[in-house]
Amino acid sequence: MTEHQPEQPTGPENPGGTGQQGRPQGAGPSPVAGLAAEYAAKAGLHRTHDGQVDVLRSAGGVQGIAESIVPGLVFLVAFTVTRELSLSLVAALASAAIFTVVRLVQRRPLTQALAGVAGVGISAWLANTTGKAEDFYLPGFFTNGAYILAMVLSIAVKWPVAGLLFGFIRNEGVEWRKEPARVKAYRLGTWIIVAVLALRLIVQVPLYLMGTDGLAALATTRLIMGAPLYILGIWVAWLVTRPEPKTAPAD
């Protein structure tokens, strides 16, 4: 995400070009709103010029999605063809490393690519240690579970993650917390994202427990339920948390 603050759009979600939920432009943002913006930025959330969530870019763009998909796909294909675990793990690591080199050539930030290499490295180490090909996908379950726990806790403490993310996009900052209807909407949006993550575990854990017999199905569902399902979940959460259009007072 770019380091500068996005422009504040006008429209139903930000009538009259105000900042955080009625805060006039020119007024400084509150410290808490600044923290919310920083959180959204670190989460990789982006918005379009007209104030909508840029779901594809927030998922890493085409290149970022490829970086998350290709190593697992390479591992599956290599293992299916050769049945050699070590060779397949090396192939997956090499594909992740290639993306890092590509980013170096493009002079783009390496954070996402290096995180991908680290993730693939941990998965490869675990699978090589246990000798079980399906363990290549095991760390993802723990990551998913950690995200679910964090989001459920955010709902419990009345700081739903969807509000922190989308509130930044909509220039609400954290002022939405003063309106029960907005808090309720952002709780629902967060539950939608939780449901997406939980669905992954519900579908994939039984396949993992099948061992190598379920490996192909596990790898396939990881691809389908990765970035594509995440994009869908974020988009639905965005739609259900839209604020009501502001109506002009009657004369």
Side-chain angles (χ1 to χ4, degrees):
M1 181 171 184
T2 54
E3 295 180 359
H4 64 276
Q5 289 293 335
E7 296 179 358
Q8 295 182 345
T10 59
E13 294 182 353
N14 191 27
T18 57
Q20 280 82 22
Q21 199 74 2
R23 183 185 296 272
Q25 286 187 348
S30 69
V32 179
L35 290 174
E38 182 179 352
Y39 175 83
K42 288 182 178 179
L45 208 65
H46 299 269
R47 70 181 182 185
T48 61
H49 67 280
D50 58 352
Q52 300 296 312
V53 65
D54 191 336
V55 182
L56 180 61
R57 191 179 173 202
S58 298
V62 174
Q63 183 171 334
I65 293 173
E67 289 171 357
S68 67
I69 289 177
V70 170
L73 180 61
V74 168
F75 172 77
L76 173 63
V77 172
F79 187 76
T80 301
V81 172
T82 67
R83 309 305 293 186
E84 291 288 339
L85 180 58
S86 296
L87 178 61
S88 303
L89 295 174
V90 170
L93 280 168
S95 66
I98 288 172
F99 282 114
T100 303
V101 174
V102 169
R103 282 186 175 261
L104 279 171
V105 172
Q106 296 173 333
R107 296 184 179 180
R108 298 180 61 186
L110 297 177
T111 305
Q112 183 169 348
L114 292 176
V117 170
V120 174
I122 292 171
S123 298
W125 171 82
L126 181 61
N128 188 61
T129 300
T130 63
K132 298 179 180 179
E134 62 271 21
D135 282 348
F136 181 79
Y137 299 99
L138 184 59
F141 297 147
F142 292 101
T143 302
N144 237 46
Y147 278 123
I148 290 173
L149 178 60
M151 291 191 181
V152 171
L153 285 175
S154 78
I155 294 171
V157 299
K158 299 181 181 180
W159 283 88
V161 166
L164 294 175
L165 298 178
F166 297 155
F168 163 70
I169 296 292
R170 292 179 170 127
N171 293 315
E172 293 176 299
V174 292
E175 295 298 307
W176 53 268
R177 296 191 72 246
K178 298 178 181 178
E179 301 181 28
R182 299 299 295 133
V183 175
K184 182 178 179 181
Y186 281 132
R187 281 204 305 264
L188 176 59
T190 305
W191 278 122
I192 289 172
I193 301 173
V194 168
V196 167
L197 300 176
L199 182 61
R200 289 175 176 174
L201 297 180
I202 291 170
V203 172
Q204 295 170 16
V205 169
L207 296 173
Y208 166 79
L209 295 175
M210 291 173 61
T212 54
D213 291 338
L215 181 62
L218 172 60
T220 302
T221 55
R222 281 290 289 267
L223 297 177
I224 296 173
M225 303 181 78
L229 187 62
Y230 170 79
I231 290 173
L232 177 61
I234 290 292
W235 181 243
V236 172
W238 171 263
L239 292 178
V240 303
T241 58
R242 286 182 299 185
E244 293 292 331
K246 301 292 184 180
T247 56
D251 294 332

